[in-house]
Coordinates of all heavy atoms in Angstrom, one line a residue:
M1 N 8.8 -13.3 15.9 CA 8.4 -11.9 15.8 C 7.5 -11.8 14.5 O 7.8 -12.2 13.5 CB 9.7 -11.0 15.6 CG 9.4 -9.6 15.6 SD 10.9 -8.7 16.0 CE 11.2 -7.9 14.4
S2 N 6.4 -11.1 14.7 CA 5.5 -11.0 13.6 C 5.8 -9.8 12.7 O 6.4 -8.8 13.2 CB 4.0 -10.9 14.1 OG 3.9 -9.7 14.8
R3 N 5.4 -9.9 11.5 CA 5.7 -8.8 10.5 C 4.6 -7.8 10.7 O 3.5 -8.1 10.9 CB 5.7 -9.4 9.1 CG 6.7 -10.4 8.8 CD 6.8 -10.9 7.4 NE 5.5 -11.2 6.8 CZ 5.2 -11.3 5.5 NH1 6.2 -11.0 4.7 NH2 4.1 -11.6 5.1
P4 N 5.0 -6.5 10.5 CA 4.0 -5.4 10.5 C 3.1 -5.6 9.3 O 3.5 -6.1 8.3 CB 4.8 -4.1 10.5 CG 6.1 -4.5 9.9 CD 6.3 -6.0 10.3
T5 N 1.9 -5.1 9.4 CA 0.9 -5.1 8.3 C 0.8 -3.8 7.6 O 0.8 -2.8 8.2 CB -0.5 -5.5 8.9 OG1 -0.3 -6.8 9.5 CG2 -1.5 -5.6 7.8
A6 N 0.7 -3.9 6.3 CA 0.5 -2.8 5.4 C -0.8 -3.0 4.7 O -1.0 -4.1 4.1 CB 1.6 -2.6 4.4
T7 N -1.7 -2.1 4.8 CA -3.0 -2.2 4.0 C -2.7 -1.6 2.6 O -2.3 -0.4 2.5 CB -4.1 -1.5 4.7 OG1 -4.3 -2.0 6.0 CG2 -5.4 -1.6 3.9
L8 N -3.1 -2.3 1.6 CA -2.8 -1.9 0.2 C -4.2 -1.8 -0.5 O -4.9 -2.8 -0.7 CB -2.0 -2.9 -0.5 CG -1.7 -2.7 -2.0 CD1 -0.9 -1.4 -2.2 CD2 -1.0 -3.9 -2.6
Y9 N -4.6 -0.5 -0.8 CA -5.8 -0.3 -1.5 C -5.4 -0.5 -3.0 O -4.5 0.2 -3.5 CB -6.3 1.1 -1.3 CG -6.9 1.2 0.1 CD1 -6.3 1.8 1.1 CD2 -8.2 0.6 0.4 CE1 -6.8 1.9 2.4 CE2 -8.7 0.6 1.7 CZ -8.0 1.3 2.7 OH -8.5 1.4 4.0
T10 N -6.1 -1.3 -3.7 CA -5.7 -1.8 -5.0 C -7.0 -2.0 -5.9 O -8.1 -1.8 -5.4 CB -4.9 -3.1 -4.9 OG1 -4.5 -3.5 -6.1 CG2 -5.7 -4.2 -4.2
R11 N -6.7 -2.4 -7.1 CA -7.8 -2.9 -8.0 C -7.2 -3.9 -8.9 O -6.0 -4.0 -9.1 CB -8.5 -1.8 -8.7 CG -7.6 -1.0 -9.6 CD -8.2 0.1 -10.5 NE -9.6 0.4 -10.2 CZ -10.0 1.6 -9.9 NH1 -9.2 2.7 -10.0 NH2 -11.3 1.8 -9.7
R12 N -8.1 -4.7 -9.5 CA -7.6 -5.7 -10.4 C -6.9 -5.1 -11.7 O -7.2 -4.0 -12.1 CB -8.7 -6.6 -10.9 CG -9.1 -7.6 -9.8 CD -10.2 -8.5 -10.3 NE -11.4 -7.7 -10.4 CZ -12.6 -8.0 -10.9 NH1 -12.7 -9.2 -11.4 NH2 -13.6 -7.2 -10.8
H13 N -6.0 -5.9 -12.2 CA -5.2 -5.5 -13.4 C -4.5 -4.2 -13.3 O -4.3 -3.4 -14.2 CB -6.2 -5.3 -14.6 CG -7.1 -6.5 -14.8 ND1 -6.6 -7.8 -15.1 CD2 -8.4 -6.7 -14.7 CE1 -7.6 -8.6 -15.1 NE2 -8.7 -8.0 -14.9
C14 N -3.9 -3.9 -12.1 CA -3.2 -2.7 -11.8 C -1.7 -3.1 -11.6 O -1.3 -3.7 -10.6 CB -3.7 -2.1 -10.5 SG -2.7 -0.7 -9.9
H15 N -0.9 -2.8 -12.6 CA 0.5 -3.2 -12.5 C 1.3 -2.5 -11.4 O 2.1 -3.0 -10.7 CB 1.3 -3.1 -13.8 CG 1.5 -1.7 -14.2 ND1 0.6 -0.8 -14.7 CD2 2.7 -0.9 -14.1 CE1 1.1 0.3 -15.0 NE2 2.4 0.3 -14.6
L16 N 0.9 -1.2 -11.1 CA 1.5 -0.5 -10.0 C 1.2 -1.1 -8.6 O 2.0 -1.2 -7.7 CB 1.1 1.0 -10.0 CG 1.6 1.8 -11.1 CD1 1.1 3.2 -11.0 CD2 3.2 1.8 -11.2
C17 N 0.0 -1.7 -8.6 CA -0.5 -2.3 -7.3 C 0.3 -3.6 -7.1 O 0.7 -3.9 -6.0 CB -2.0 -2.7 -7.4 SG -3.0 -1.2 -7.5
E18 N 0.6 -4.4 -8.2 CA 1.4 -5.6 -8.1 C 2.8 -5.2 -7.7 O 3.4 -5.9 -6.8 CB 1.4 -6.3 -9.4 CG 0.0 -6.9 -9.8 CD -0.1 -7.3 -11.2 OE1 0.9 -7.3 -12.0 OE2 -1.2 -7.7 -11.6
E19 N 3.4 -4.2 -8.2 CA 4.7 -3.7 -7.8 C 4.8 -3.3 -6.4 O 5.7 -3.6 -5.6 CB 5.2 -2.6 -8.7 CG 5.5 -2.9 -10.1 CD 5.8 -1.7 -11.0 OE1 6.1 -0.6 -10.4 OE2 5.8 -1.8 -12.2
A20 N 3.7 -2.6 -5.9 CA 3.7 -2.1 -4.6 C 3.6 -3.3 -3.6 O 4.3 -3.4 -2.6 CB 2.5 -1.2 -4.3
A21 N 2.8 -4.3 -3.9 CA 2.7 -5.5 -3.1 C 4.0 -6.2 -3.0 O 4.5 -6.6 -1.9 CB 1.6 -6.5 -3.6
A22 N 4.7 -6.4 -4.1 CA 6.0 -7.0 -4.1 C 7.0 -6.2 -3.3 O 7.8 -6.8 -2.5 CB 6.5 -7.2 -5.5
T23 N 7.0 -4.9 -3.4 CA 8.0 -4.1 -2.6 C 7.7 -4.2 -1.1 O 8.6 -4.3 -0.3 CB 7.9 -2.6 -3.1 OG1 8.2 -2.6 -4.5 CG2 8.9 -1.7 -2.3
L24 N 6.4 -4.2 -0.8 CA 6.0 -4.3 0.6 C 6.4 -5.6 1.2 O 7.0 -5.7 2.3 CB 4.5 -4.1 0.8 CG 4.0 -2.6 0.6 CD1 2.5 -2.6 0.4 CD2 4.4 -1.7 1.7
E25 N 6.2 -6.7 0.5 CA 6.6 -8.0 1.0 C 8.1 -8.1 1.1 O 8.6 -8.7 2.1 CB 6.0 -9.1 0.1 CG 4.5 -9.2 0.2 CD 3.8 -10.1 -0.8 OE1 4.5 -10.6 -1.7 OE2 2.6 -10.2 -0.8
A26 N 8.8 -7.6 0.1 CA 10.3 -7.7 0.2 C 10.8 -6.8 1.3 O 11.9 -7.1 1.9 CB 10.9 -7.2 -1.1
G27 N 10.0 -5.8 1.7 CA 10.4 -5.0 2.8 C 10.0 -5.5 4.2 O 10.2 -4.9 5.2
G28 N 9.4 -6.7 4.2 CA 9.1 -7.4 5.5 C 7.7 -7.1 6.0 O 7.4 -7.4 7.2
Y29 N 6.8 -6.6 5.2 CA 5.5 -6.3 5.6 C 4.5 -7.4 5.1 O 4.7 -8.0 4.0 CB 5.0 -5.0 5.0 CG 5.6 -3.8 5.7 CD1 6.8 -3.3 5.3 CD2 4.9 -3.1 6.7 CE1 7.4 -2.2 5.9 CE2 5.4 -2.1 7.3 CZ 6.7 -1.6 7.0 OH 7.2 -0.5 7.6
A30 N 3.5 -7.7 6.0 CA 2.4 -8.6 5.6 C 1.4 -7.6 4.9 O 1.1 -6.6 5.4 CB 1.8 -9.2 6.8
V31 N 1.0 -8.0 3.7 CA 0.1 -7.2 2.9 C -1.3 -7.6 3.0 O -1.7 -8.8 2.8 CB 0.6 -7.2 1.4 CG1 -0.4 -6.3 0.6 CG2 2.0 -6.7 1.3
E32 N -2.2 -6.6 3.4 CA -3.6 -6.9 3.5 C -4.2 -6.1 2.3 O -4.3 -4.8 2.3 CB -4.2 -6.3 4.8 CG -5.7 -6.5 4.9 CD -6.2 -5.9 6.2 OE1 -5.9 -6.5 7.2 OE2 -6.9 -4.9 6.1
A33 N -4.5 -6.7 1.2 CA -5.0 -6.1 0.0 C -6.5 -5.8 0.1 O -7.3 -6.7 0.5 CB -4.7 -6.9 -1.2
V34 N -6.9 -4.6 -0.3 CA -8.4 -4.2 -0.3 C -8.7 -3.7 -1.7 O -8.1 -2.7 -2.2 CB -8.6 -3.1 0.8 CG1 -10.1 -2.7 0.7 CG2 -8.3 -3.6 2.2
D35 N -9.6 -4.4 -2.4 CA -10.0 -4.0 -3.7 C -11.0 -2.9 -3.6 O -12.1 -3.1 -3.1 CB -10.7 -5.2 -4.4 CG -11.1 -5.0 -5.8 OD1 -11.0 -3.8 -6.3 OD2 -11.5 -5.9 -6.5
I36 N -10.6 -1.7 -4.1 CA -11.5 -0.5 -3.9 C -12.7 -0.7 -4.8 O -13.7 0.0 -4.5 CB -10.7 0.8 -4.3 CG1 -10.3 0.9 -5.7 CG2 -9.5 1.0 -3.3 CD1 -9.9 2.3 -6.2
D37 N -12.7 -1.5 -5.8 CA -13.8 -1.6 -6.7 C -15.0 -2.4 -6.0 O -16.1 -2.3 -6.5 CB -13.5 -2.3 -8.0 CG -12.6 -1.3 -8.9 OD1 -12.8 -0.1 -8.9 OD2 -11.7 -1.9 -9.5
A38 N -14.7 -3.1 -4.9 CA -15.7 -3.8 -4.2 C -16.5 -2.9 -3.2 O -17.5 -3.3 -2.6 CB -15.1 -4.9 -3.4
D39 N -16.0 -1.6 -3.1 CA -16.7 -0.7 -2.1 C -16.9 0.6 -2.8 O -15.9 1.3 -3.1 CB -15.8 -0.6 -0.9 CG -16.3 0.3 0.2 OD1 -17.0 1.3 -0.1 OD2 -16.1 0.0 1.4
P40 N -18.1 1.1 -3.1 CA -18.3 2.3 -3.8 C -17.7 3.5 -3.1 O -17.2 4.5 -3.7 CB -19.8 2.5 -3.8 CG -20.3 1.1 -3.6 CD -19.3 0.4 -2.8
E41 N -17.6 3.5 -1.7 CA -17.0 4.6 -1.0 C -15.5 4.7 -1.3 O -14.9 5.8 -1.5 CB -17.3 4.5 0.5 CG -16.8 5.7 1.3 CD -17.1 5.6 2.7 OE1 -18.3 5.2 3.1 OE2 -16.2 5.8 3.6
L42 N -14.8 3.6 -1.2 CA -13.4 3.5 -1.5 C -13.1 3.9 -3.0 O -12.2 4.6 -3.2 CB -12.8 2.2 -1.2 CG -12.8 1.8 0.3 CD1 -12.3 0.3 0.5 CD2 -11.9 2.7 1.1
R43 N -13.9 3.4 -3.9 CA -13.8 3.7 -5.3 C -13.9 5.2 -5.5 O -13.1 5.8 -6.2 CB -14.8 2.9 -6.1 CG -14.5 3.1 -7.6 CD -15.4 2.2 -8.5 NE -16.8 2.3 -8.1 CZ -17.5 1.3 -7.6 NH1 -17.0 0.1 -7.4 NH2 -18.8 1.5 -7.4
A44 N -14.9 5.9 -4.8 CA -15.0 7.3 -5.0 C -13.8 8.1 -4.3 O -13.4 9.1 -4.9 CB -16.3 7.7 -4.3
R45 N -13.3 7.5 -3.2 CA -12.2 8.2 -2.5 C -10.9 8.1 -3.3 O -10.2 9.1 -3.4 CB -12.0 7.6 -1.1 CG -10.9 8.3 -0.4 CD -10.6 7.6 1.0 NE -11.8 7.5 1.8 CZ -11.9 6.7 2.8 NH1 -10.9 6.0 3.2 NH2 -13.0 6.7 3.5
Y46 N -10.6 7.0 -3.8 CA -9.3 6.8 -4.5 C -9.3 6.8 -6.0 O -8.3 7.1 -6.6 CB -8.7 5.5 -4.0 CG -8.4 5.5 -2.5 CD1 -9.0 4.6 -1.6 CD2 -7.5 6.4 -2.0 CE1 -8.8 4.6 -0.3 CE2 -7.2 6.4 -0.6 CZ -7.9 5.5 0.2 OH -7.6 5.6 1.6
G47 N -10.4 6.5 -6.6 CA -10.5 6.6 -8.1 C -9.4 5.8 -8.7 O -9.2 4.7 -8.5
H48 N -8.6 6.5 -9.6 CA -7.5 5.9 -10.3 C -6.2 6.1 -9.5 O -5.1 5.7 -10.1 CB -7.4 6.4 -11.7 CG -8.6 6.0 -12.5 ND1 -8.8 4.7 -13.0 CD2 -9.6 6.8 -13.0 CE1 -9.9 4.7 -13.7 NE2 -10.4 5.9 -13.7
A49 N -6.2 6.7 -8.4 CA -5.0 7.0 -7.6 C -4.6 5.8 -6.7 O -4.4 5.9 -5.5 CB -5.2 8.2 -6.8
V50 N -4.5 4.6 -7.3 CA -4.0 3.4 -6.6 C -2.7 3.0 -7.2 O -2.5 3.2 -8.3 CB -5.1 2.3 -6.6 CG1 -6.3 2.7 -5.8 CG2 -5.5 1.9 -8.0
P51 N -1.9 2.3 -6.4 CA -2.1 1.8 -5.1 C -2.0 2.9 -4.0 O -1.3 3.9 -4.3 CB -1.0 0.8 -4.9 CG 0.1 1.3 -5.8 CD -0.6 1.9 -7.0
V52 N -2.6 2.7 -2.9 CA -2.5 3.5 -1.7 C -2.1 2.6 -0.6 O -2.7 1.5 -0.4 CB -3.8 4.3 -1.4 CG1 -3.6 5.0 -0.1 CG2 -4.1 5.2 -2.5
V53 N -1.0 3.0 0.1 CA -0.5 2.1 1.2 C -0.7 2.8 2.6 O -0.3 3.9 2.7 CB 1.0 1.8 1.0 CG1 1.5 1.0 2.2 CG2 1.2 1.1 -0.3
I54 N -1.4 2.1 3.5 CA -1.6 2.5 4.8 C -0.7 1.7 5.8 O -0.8 0.5 5.7 CB -3.1 2.4 5.2 CG1 -4.0 3.1 4.2 CG2 -3.3 3.0 6.7 CD1 -3.8 4.5 4.0
I55 N 0.1 2.3 6.5 CA 1.0 1.7 7.5 C 0.8 2.4 8.9 O 0.9 3.6 8.9 CB 2.4 1.6 7.1 CG1 2.6 0.9 5.8 CG2 3.3 1.0 8.2 CD1 4.0 0.9 5.2
G56 N 0.5 1.7 9.9 CA 0.3 2.3 11.2 C -0.8 3.3 11.2 O -0.8 4.3 12.0
G57 N -1.9 3.1 10.4 CA -3.0 4.0 10.4 C -2.9 5.2 9.6 O -3.7 6.1 9.6
K58 N -1.7 5.4 8.9 CA -1.4 6.6 8.1 C -1.1 6.3 6.7 O -0.5 5.3 6.4 CB -0.2 7.3 8.7 CG -0.4 7.9 10.1 CD 0.9 8.6 10.5 CE 0.7 9.0 12.0 NZ 1.9 9.7 12.5
E59 N -1.6 7.1 5.8 CA -1.3 6.9 4.4 C 0.2 7.3 4.2 O 0.6 8.3 4.5 CB -2.1 7.8 3.5 CG -1.8 7.6 2.0 CD -2.7 8.5 1.1 OE1 -3.9 8.6 1.4 OE2 -2.2 9.0 0.1
R60 N 0.9 6.3 3.7 CA 2.4 6.4 3.6 C 2.8 6.6 2.1 O 3.8 7.2 1.8 CB 3.1 5.3 4.2 CG 2.8 5.1 5.6 CD 3.4 6.2 6.4 NE 3.2 6.0 7.9 CZ 3.8 6.7 8.8 NH1 4.6 7.7 8.5 NH2 3.6 6.4 10.1
F61 N 2.1 5.9 1.2 CA 2.5 5.9 -0.2 C 1.2 6.0 -1.1 O 0.2 5.4 -0.7 CB 3.3 4.7 -0.6 CG 4.5 4.6 0.2 CD1 4.6 3.7 1.2 CD2 5.7 5.3 -0.2 CE1 5.8 3.5 2.0 CE2 6.8 5.1 0.5 CZ 6.9 4.3 1.6
R62 N 1.3 6.6 -2.2 CA 0.3 6.7 -3.2 C 0.9 6.5 -4.6 O 1.9 7.2 -4.9 CB -0.5 8.0 -3.1 CG -1.8 8.0 -4.0 CD -2.5 9.3 -3.8 NE -3.2 9.3 -2.5 CZ -4.6 9.4 -2.5 NH1 -5.3 9.5 -3.6 NH2 -5.1 9.4 -1.3
L63 N 0.4 5.6 -5.4 CA 0.9 5.4 -6.8 C 2.2 4.5 -6.8 O 2.2 3.6 -7.5 CB 1.0 6.6 -7.6 CG -0.3 7.4 -7.8 CD1 0.0 8.7 -8.6 CD2 -1.3 6.6 -8.5
R64 N 3.2 4.9 -6.1 CA 4.4 4.1 -6.0 C 4.9 4.0 -4.6 O 4.8 4.9 -3.8 CB 5.5 4.8 -6.9 CG 5.1 4.8 -8.3 CD 6.4 4.6 -9.2 NE 6.0 4.7 -10.6 CZ 6.0 3.7 -11.4 NH1 6.2 2.5 -11.0 NH2 5.7 3.8 -12.7
V65 N 5.6 2.9 -4.3 CA 6.2 2.7 -3.0 C 7.7 2.8 -3.2 O 8.3 2.2 -4.0 CB 5.8 1.2 -2.5 CG1 6.6 1.0 -1.2 CG2 4.3 1.1 -2.3
D66 N 8.2 3.8 -2.4 CA 9.6 4.0 -2.4 C 10.3 3.1 -1.4 O 10.1 3.1 -0.2 CB 9.9 5.5 -2.0 CG 11.3 5.9 -2.1 OD1 12.2 5.2 -1.5 OD2 11.6 6.9 -2.7
A67 N 11.1 2.2 -2.0 CA 11.7 1.1 -1.1 C 12.7 1.7 -0.1 O 12.7 1.2 1.1 CB 12.5 0.1 -2.0
V68 N 13.3 2.8 -0.3 CA 14.2 3.4 0.6 C 13.4 4.0 1.8 O 13.7 3.8 3.0 CB 15.1 4.5 0.0 CG1 15.9 5.3 1.0 CG2 16.0 3.9 -1.0
L69 N 12.3 4.7 1.5 CA 11.5 5.3 2.5 C 10.8 4.1 3.3 O 10.6 4.3 4.5 CB 10.4 6.2 1.9 CG 11.0 7.5 1.3 CD1 9.9 8.3 0.7 CD2 11.7 8.3 2.4
L70 N 10.4 3.1 2.6 CA 9.8 1.9 3.3 C 10.8 1.3 4.3 O 10.4 1.0 5.5 CB 9.4 0.9 2.3 CG 8.6 -0.3 2.8 CD1 7.3 0.1 3.4 CD2 8.5 -1.4 1.7
R71 N 12.0 1.2 4.0 CA 13.0 0.6 4.9 C 13.2 1.6 6.1 O 13.3 1.1 7.3 CB 14.4 0.5 4.2 CG 14.5 -0.8 3.4 CD 15.9 -1.1 3.0 NE 16.5 -0.1 2.2 CZ 16.4 0.0 0.9 NH1 15.7 -0.9 0.2 NH2 17.0 0.9 0.2
R72 N 13.2 2.9 5.9 CA 13.2 3.8 7.0 C 12.0 3.7 7.9 O 12.2 3.7 9.2 CB 13.3 5.3 6.5 CG 14.7 5.6 5.9 CD 14.7 7.0 5.5 NE 15.9 7.3 4.7 CZ 16.0 8.3 3.8 NH1 15.0 9.2 3.7 NH2 17.1 8.4 3.1
L73 N 10.9 3.6 7.4 CA 9.7 3.4 8.2 C 9.8 2.1 9.0 O 9.5 2.2 10.2 CB 8.4 3.3 7.3 CG 7.8 4.5 6.8 CD1 6.7 4.2 5.8 CD2 7.2 5.3 7.9
R74 N 10.2 1.1 8.4 CA 10.3 -0.2 9.1 C 11.4 -0.1 10.3 O 11.2 -0.6 11.4 CB 10.7 -1.3 8.2 CG 10.9 -2.7 8.8 CD 9.6 -3.3 9.0 NE 9.7 -4.5 9.9 CZ 9.9 -5.7 9.5 NH1 9.9 -6.0 8.2 NH2 10.0 -6.7 10.3
R75 N 12.5 0.5 10.0 CA 13.6 0.7 11.0 C 13.1 1.5 12.1 O 13.4 1.3 13.3 CB 14.8 1.3 10.3 CG 16.0 1.4 11.2 CD 17.3 1.8 10.4 NE 17.0 3.0 9.7 CZ 17.2 3.1 8.3 NH1 17.7 2.1 7.7 NH2 17.0 4.3 7.7
N76 N 12.3 2.6 11.9 CA 11.9 3.5 12.9 C 10.7 3.0 13.7 O 10.4 3.6 14.8 CB 11.5 4.9 12.3 CG 12.8 5.6 11.7 OD1 13.9 5.3 12.2 ND2 12.6 6.4 10.7
R77 N 10.1 1.9 13.3 CA 9.0 1.4 14.1 C 9.5 0.6 15.3 O 8.7 0.3 16.2 CB 8.2 0.4 13.2 CG 7.4 1.1 12.2 CD 6.6 0.1 11.5 NE 5.8 -0.7 12.4 CZ 4.5 -0.8 12.5 NH1 3.8 -0.2 11.7 NH2 4.0 -1.6 13.4
G78 N 10.8 0.4 15.4 CA 11.2 -0.3 16.6 C 11.9 -1.5 16.3 O 12.5 -2.2 16.8

């Protein structure tokens, strides 16, 4: 069974981003990290409001990942 993927919009030297990645991985998600500084459009969209987590095509978390809500999301996916 494959792990669901979470897209993590991040930037270098972001401790909240590192925490978010660790929480997602501990929650059973494969993390696809996207550096917003590599794309001017993403940098303009998110600015300093990272990390941003997209799961199932929807923004689920911004700035912090709540482990309890993450478990609920995972459980409700099937």
